[in-house]
Amino acid sequence: MHKARIGVTGLAVMGRNLARNLARHGHPVAVHNRTSARTKALVEEFGGEGTFLPAETPEQFVESLERPRRLVIMVKAGGPTDAVIDEFAPLLEPGDMIVDGGNANFADTRRREAALRERGIHFVGTGISGGEEGALHGPSIMPGGSAESYEALGPLLEDISAKVDGTPCCVHVGPDGAGHFVKMVHNGIEYADMQLIAESYDLLRHAAGLAPAEIAEVFRTWNTGRLESYLIEITAEVLAHTDAATGKPFVDVVLDQAEQKGTGRWTVQTALDLGVPVGGIAEAVFARSVSGHAALREAARGLPGPSRTAVAGSGFADAVEKALYASKIVAYAQGFHEIQAGSAEYGWNIDLGAMATIWRGGCIIRARFLDRIRAAYEADPETPTLLTDDHFAEAVGDAQDAWREVVATAARLGIPAPGFSTALAYYDSLRADRLPAALTQGQRDFFGAHTYRRTDRDGSFHTLWGGDRTEVGA
Ligand SMILES: NC(=O)c1ccc[n+]([C@@H]2O[C@H](COP(=O)([O-])OP(=O)(O)OC[C@H]3O[C@@H](n4cnc5c(N)ncnc54)[C@H](OP(=O)(O)O)[C@@H]3O)[C@@H](O)[C@H]2O)c1
């Protein structure tokens, strides 16, 4: 019997579609699931799409793979992934590869990679973005793990990934947890992107007084320009949709409490550990959190504030477009800063421009804009921030007045715009000659003798605040 080139265990929506994608590309694929009904259903429904080798047991599954074995795990992240690894690893041999395509925490991936490396097994933590449609038609794929394993896996993964201008949206990100780290930050950026779009909608609705269908048209227009992206495109679709049961705009009948699965939170937690300011992503995570605190919101509903009377004039939509573009640049600059810091911390040597390249297709944040980021890193791979790239600096410079006007309008009308506000504050913080951090240092020295450095000479100093206030070297 012929062997399978690759196998997928875990055949819920993602695994099933990934297996179909592999089969459709002519790769014989072994398929297995803890509950074998899913395996049978896959072969029954889609067996005609390619060569599937169904397996009932882990032993059969492993036996049906050509060597070195390529085994993809697509199960629920966390404990289930460990359980599946524990089940399969004893059946494998040195040189075999386990690909974890789930949304694992990169720290778990580092742990698993180290443990399996000792047994000679390559563990390839792989970020896969694009949801179930992407898994079937071509996702953006972010594989970590050893360079050696990428040699054996890369061609297969590139084959089934999305392509933009003929370039696969898949590249070897770096060793051990690098792939899952980059996928995590991708999701964090996705949170920020969605939040900024949501704020744009809210402002157009309440400051400009537009109806959802009119706002859908605004987004459609934006999607023909520099903001062109999957998220802007689907925003127009959602806003134009009418609820069949009530005849109301769909957006008005959906409960305004956003949910989250955890990768946004991880992005912020990791950024805190690395000391990287990612306010745009953090505010997006917090905005979802605030929305979900129903009792808190109910208790505070009557607090005083301005009424949301629409006051903005006809140019307001253009101002929001500029504020959105500028804030989006900030959010991406912060996300890329986090990848840069993670890469330095863990010695991953990640090519930042390549990350922008593989996010151009297949994934949720796919956008024309990413070509600009790729170009920025091509021009200067060591740039400390995307904000100083010529194109982005000019765009943000041009947006100045509009950005400030939009944030001010939001504040005046009592429309929460945490994403726009934090992006502008970050921008102003970076460009400031002096920050009030000097005062913070003074306070810290006062109450905790934490010392400070001076602008005019080297060394650390402490002022004797409780005594005669002379300064001493620390
Ligand atoms: N859904 C998306 O859009 C998306 C996008 C990117 C990444 N991901 C990631 O891809 C992975 C798969 O996602 P999904 O939505 O397809 O499935 P899921 O709902 O996260 O997981 C269901 C699958 O996990 C298996 N499973 C759970 N516990 C197990 C255990 N202890 N031992 C063996 N198998 C176990 C289930 O097997 P049974 O059938 O036997 O219950 C089923 O095949 C997840 O890590 C997810 O975070 C999902």
Side-chain angles (χ1 to χ4, degrees), residues 385-403:
T385 173
L386 286 169
L387 282 164
T388 53
D389 166 76
D390 286 349
H391 167 79
F392 292 128
E394 193 184 325
V396 171
D398 282 350
Q400 284 303 297
D401 294 347
W403 199 4

PDB file of all heavy atoms in Angstrom, residues 385-403:
ATOM      1  N   THR A 385      11.695  51.634  14.305  1.00  0.00           N
ATOM      2  CA  THR A 385      10.219  51.716  14.246  1.00  0.00           C
ATOM      3  C   THR A 385       9.758  52.023  12.833  1.00  0.00           C
ATOM      4  O   THR A 385      10.385  52.816  12.113  1.00  0.00           O
ATOM      5  CB  THR A 385       9.653  52.784  15.211  1.00  0.00           C
ATOM      6  OG1 THR A 385       8.244  52.898  14.969  1.00  0.00           O
ATOM      7  CG2 THR A 385      10.294  54.143  15.039  1.00  0.00           C
ATOM      8  N   LEU A 386       8.647  51.420  12.468  1.00  0.00           N
ATOM      9  CA  LEU A 386       8.069  51.676  11.143  1.00  0.00           C
ATOM     10  C   LEU A 386       7.685  53.143  10.981  1.00  0.00           C
ATOM     11  O   LEU A 386       7.581  53.640   9.861  1.00  0.00           O
ATOM     12  CB  LEU A 386       6.823  50.805  10.946  1.00  0.00           C
ATOM     13  CG  LEU A 386       7.076  49.322  10.688  1.00  0.00           C
ATOM     14  CD1 LEU A 386       5.760  48.548  10.773  1.00  0.00           C
ATOM     15  CD2 LEU A 386       7.721  49.128   9.320  1.00  0.00           C
ATOM     16  N   LEU A 387       7.455  53.828  12.101  1.00  0.00           N
ATOM     17  CA  LEU A 387       6.980  55.211  12.035  1.00  0.00           C
ATOM     18  C   LEU A 387       7.980  56.152  11.372  1.00  0.00           C
ATOM     19  O   LEU A 387       7.601  57.207  10.874  1.00  0.00           O
ATOM     20  CB  LEU A 387       6.657  55.720  13.445  1.00  0.00           C
ATOM     21  CG  LEU A 387       5.326  55.237  14.005  1.00  0.00           C
ATOM     22  CD1 LEU A 387       5.266  55.446  15.502  1.00  0.00           C
ATOM     23  CD2 LEU A 387       4.171  55.957  13.317  1.00  0.00           C
ATOM     24  N   THR A 388       9.258  55.780  11.361  1.00  0.00           N
ATOM     25  CA  THR A 388      10.247  56.681  10.766  1.00  0.00           C
ATOM     26  C   THR A 388      10.522  56.334   9.296  1.00  0.00           C
ATOM     27  O   THR A 388      11.286  57.034   8.645  1.00  0.00           O
ATOM     28  CB  THR A 388      11.573  56.641  11.561  1.00  0.00           C
ATOM     29  OG1 THR A 388      11.991  55.275  11.668  1.00  0.00           O
ATOM     30  CG2 THR A 388      11.397  57.235  12.947  1.00  0.00           C
ATOM     31  N   ASP A 389       9.922  55.262   8.808  1.00  0.00           N
ATOM     32  CA  ASP A 389      10.032  54.971   7.375  1.00  0.00           C
ATOM     33  C   ASP A 389       9.434  56.150   6.585  1.00  0.00           C
ATOM     34  O   ASP A 389       8.429  56.738   7.015  1.00  0.00           O
ATOM     35  CB  ASP A 389       9.263  53.673   7.068  1.00  0.00           C
ATOM     36  CG  ASP A 389       9.046  53.482   5.589  1.00  0.00           C
ATOM     37  OD1 ASP A 389      10.024  53.110   4.908  1.00  0.00           O
ATOM     38  OD2 ASP A 389       7.918  53.725   5.103  1.00  0.00           O
ATOM     39  N   ASP A 390      10.044  56.470   5.450  1.00  0.00           N
ATOM     40  CA  ASP A 390       9.619  57.660   4.695  1.00  0.00           C
ATOM     41  C   ASP A 390       8.115  57.676   4.427  1.00  0.00           C
ATOM     42  O   ASP A 390       7.429  58.667   4.680  1.00  0.00           O
ATOM     43  CB  ASP A 390      10.363  57.743   3.351  1.00  0.00           C
ATOM     44  CG  ASP A 390      11.800  58.167   3.546  1.00  0.00           C
ATOM     45  OD1 ASP A 390      12.142  58.597   4.681  1.00  0.00           O
ATOM     46  OD2 ASP A 390      12.590  58.046   2.592  1.00  0.00           O
ATOM     47  N   HIS A 391       7.603  56.549   3.904  1.00  0.00           N
ATOM     48  CA  HIS A 391       6.180  56.523   3.545  1.00  0.00           C
ATOM     49  C   HIS A 391       5.298  56.717   4.775  1.00  0.00           C
ATOM     50  O   HIS A 391       4.369  57.529   4.763  1.00  0.00           O
ATOM     51  CB  HIS A 391       5.813  55.203   2.855  1.00  0.00           C
ATOM     52  CG  HIS A 391       4.327  55.021   2.750  1.00  0.00           C
ATOM     53  ND1 HIS A 391       3.555  55.647   1.797  1.00  0.00           N
ATOM     54  CD2 HIS A 391       3.454  54.321   3.534  1.00  0.00           C
ATOM     55  CE1 HIS A 391       2.291  55.333   1.961  1.00  0.00           C
ATOM     56  NE2 HIS A 391       2.187  54.522   3.016  1.00  0.00           N
ATOM     57  N   PHE A 392       5.601  55.968   5.835  1.00  0.00           N
ATOM     58  CA  PHE A 392       4.730  56.034   7.017  1.00  0.00           C
ATOM     59  C   PHE A 392       4.860  57.383   7.731  1.00  0.00           C
ATOM     60  O   PHE A 392       3.869  57.928   8.223  1.00  0.00           O
ATOM     61  CB  PHE A 392       5.029  54.870   7.966  1.00  0.00           C
ATOM     62  CG  PHE A 392       4.640  53.531   7.385  1.00  0.00           C
ATOM     63  CD1 PHE A 392       5.539  52.474   7.342  1.00  0.00           C
ATOM     64  CD2 PHE A 392       3.365  53.336   6.873  1.00  0.00           C
ATOM     65  CE1 PHE A 392       5.174  51.243   6.796  1.00  0.00           C
ATOM     66  CE2 PHE A 392       2.986  52.120   6.325  1.00  0.00           C
ATOM     67  CZ  PHE A 392       3.899  51.066   6.284  1.00  0.00           C
ATOM     68  N   ALA A 393       6.078  57.904   7.786  1.00  0.00           N
ATOM     69  CA  ALA A 393       6.270  59.209   8.438  1.00  0.00           C
ATOM     70  C   ALA A 393       5.450  60.272   7.700  1.00  0.00           C
ATOM     71  O   ALA A 393       4.808  61.129   8.325  1.00  0.00           O
ATOM     72  CB  ALA A 393       7.748  59.568   8.448  1.00  0.00           C
ATOM     73  N   GLU A 394       5.461  60.180   6.373  1.00  0.00           N
ATOM     74  CA  GLU A 394       4.718  61.171   5.583  1.00  0.00           C
ATOM     75  C   GLU A 394       3.204  61.010   5.801  1.00  0.00           C
ATOM     76  O   GLU A 394       2.481  61.992   5.985  1.00  0.00           O
ATOM     77  CB  GLU A 394       5.065  60.999   4.107  1.00  0.00           C
ATOM     78  CG  GLU A 394       4.599  62.160   3.258  1.00  0.00           C
ATOM     79  CD  GLU A 394       4.870  61.918   1.772  1.00  0.00           C
ATOM     80  OE1 GLU A 394       5.901  61.298   1.434  1.00  0.00           O
ATOM     81  OE2 GLU A 394       4.015  62.334   0.972  1.00  0.00           O
ATOM     82  N   ALA A 395       2.761  59.732   5.814  1.00  0.00           N
ATOM     83  CA  ALA A 395       1.319  59.473   5.976  1.00  0.00           C
ATOM     84  C   ALA A 395       0.834  59.971   7.335  1.00  0.00           C
ATOM     85  O   ALA A 395      -0.218  60.616   7.441  1.00  0.00           O
ATOM     86  CB  ALA A 395       1.040  57.978   5.835  1.00  0.00           C
ATOM     87  N   VAL A 396       1.620  59.692   8.360  1.00  0.00           N
ATOM     88  CA  VAL A 396       1.224  60.101   9.704  1.00  0.00           C
ATOM     89  C   VAL A 396       1.306  61.635   9.817  1.00  0.00           C
ATOM     90  O   VAL A 396       0.452  62.266  10.435  1.00  0.00           O
ATOM     91  CB  VAL A 396       2.094  59.385  10.763  1.00  0.00           C
ATOM     92  CG1 VAL A 396       1.841  59.949  12.143  1.00  0.00           C
ATOM     93  CG2 VAL A 396       1.787  57.897  10.752  1.00  0.00           C
ATOM     94  N   GLY A 397       2.329  62.196   9.182  1.00  0.00           N
ATOM     95  CA  GLY A 397       2.469  63.659   9.181  1.00  0.00           C
ATOM     96  C   GLY A 397       1.255  64.311   8.518  1.00  0.00           C
ATOM     97  O   GLY A 397       0.675  65.265   9.046  1.00  0.00           O
ATOM     98  N   ASP A 398       0.840  63.757   7.386  1.00  0.00           N
ATOM     99  CA  ASP A 398      -0.325  64.301   6.666  1.00  0.00           C
ATOM    100  C   ASP A 398      -1.615  64.163   7.480  1.00  0.00           C
ATOM    101  O   ASP A 398      -2.544  64.946   7.315  1.00  0.00           O
ATOM    102  CB  ASP A 398      -0.537  63.544   5.345  1.00  0.00           C
ATOM    103  CG  ASP A 398       0.432  63.998   4.283  1.00  0.00           C
ATOM    104  OD1 ASP A 398       1.123  65.007   4.525  1.00  0.00           O
ATOM    105  OD2 ASP A 398       0.507  63.328   3.235  1.00  0.00           O
ATOM    106  N   ALA A 399      -1.646  63.114   8.306  1.00  0.00           N
ATOM    107  CA  ALA A 399      -2.882  62.829   9.060  1.00  0.00           C
ATOM    108  C   ALA A 399      -3.020  63.703  10.303  1.00  0.00           C
ATOM    109  O   ALA A 399      -4.095  63.743  10.922  1.00  0.00           O
ATOM    110  CB  ALA A 399      -2.908  61.351   9.471  1.00  0.00           C
ATOM    111  N   GLN A 400      -1.911  64.349  10.688  1.00  0.00           N
ATOM    112  CA  GLN A 400      -1.875  65.112  11.937  1.00  0.00           C
ATOM    113  C   GLN A 400      -3.169  65.785  12.377  1.00  0.00           C
ATOM    114  O   GLN A 400      -3.759  65.448  13.398  1.00  0.00           O
ATOM    115  CB  GLN A 400      -0.833  66.245  11.819  1.00  0.00           C
ATOM    116  CG  GLN A 400       0.572  65.820  11.934  1.00  0.00           C
ATOM    117  CD  GLN A 400       0.805  65.102  13.214  1.00  0.00           C
ATOM    118  OE1 GLN A 400       0.664  65.673  14.294  1.00  0.00           O
ATOM    119  NE2 GLN A 400       1.096  63.826  13.122  1.00  0.00           N
ATOM    120  N   ASP A 401      -3.584  66.775  11.569  1.00  0.00           N
ATOM    121  CA  ASP A 401      -4.701  67.616  11.984  1.00  0.00           C
ATOM    122  C   ASP A 401      -5.977  66.790  12.109  1.00  0.00           C
ATOM    123  O   ASP A 401      -6.743  66.927  13.065  1.00  0.00           O
ATOM    124  CB  ASP A 401      -4.918  68.755  10.974  1.00  0.00           C
ATOM    125  CG  ASP A 401      -3.733  69.708  10.980  1.00  0.00           C
ATOM    126  OD1 ASP A 401      -2.910  69.606  11.922  1.00  0.00           O
ATOM    127  OD2 ASP A 401      -3.620  70.528  10.047  1.00  0.00           O
ATOM    128  N   ALA A 402      -6.189  65.919  11.119  1.00  0.00           N
ATOM    129  CA  ALA A 402      -7.406  65.112  11.115  1.00  0.00           C
ATOM    130  C   ALA A 402      -7.428  64.177  12.327  1.00  0.00           C
ATOM    131  O   ALA A 402      -8.450  64.029  13.010  1.00  0.00           O
ATOM    132  CB  ALA A 402      -7.467  64.298   9.825  1.00  0.00           C
ATOM    133  N   TRP A 403      -6.295  63.554  12.589  1.00  0.00           N
ATOM    134  CA  TRP A 403      -6.178  62.603  13.702  1.00  0.00           C
ATOM    135  C   TRP A 403      -6.535  63.283  15.031  1.00  0.00           C
ATOM    136  O   TRP A 403      -7.334  62.785  15.813  1.00  0.00           O
ATOM    137  CB  TRP A 403      -4.737  62.111  13.723  1.00  0.00           C
ATOM    138  CG  TRP A 403      -4.433  60.840  14.445  1.00  0.00           C
ATOM    139  CD1 TRP A 403      -5.304  59.985  15.047  1.00  0.00           C
ATOM    140  CD2 TRP A 403      -3.125  60.284  14.621  1.00  0.00           C
ATOM    141  NE1 TRP A 403      -4.616  58.920  15.586  1.00  0.00           N
ATOM    142  CE2 TRP A 403      -3.284  59.084  15.334  1.00  0.00           C
ATOM    143  CE3 TRP A 403      -1.837  60.691  14.237  1.00  0.00           C
ATOM    144  CZ2 TRP A 403      -2.179  58.278  15.681  1.00  0.00           C
ATOM    145  CZ3 TRP A 403      -0.758  59.892  14.569  1.00  0.00           C
ATOM    146  CH2 TRP A 403      -0.926  58.701  15.290  1.00  0.00           C
TER     147      TRP A 403
END
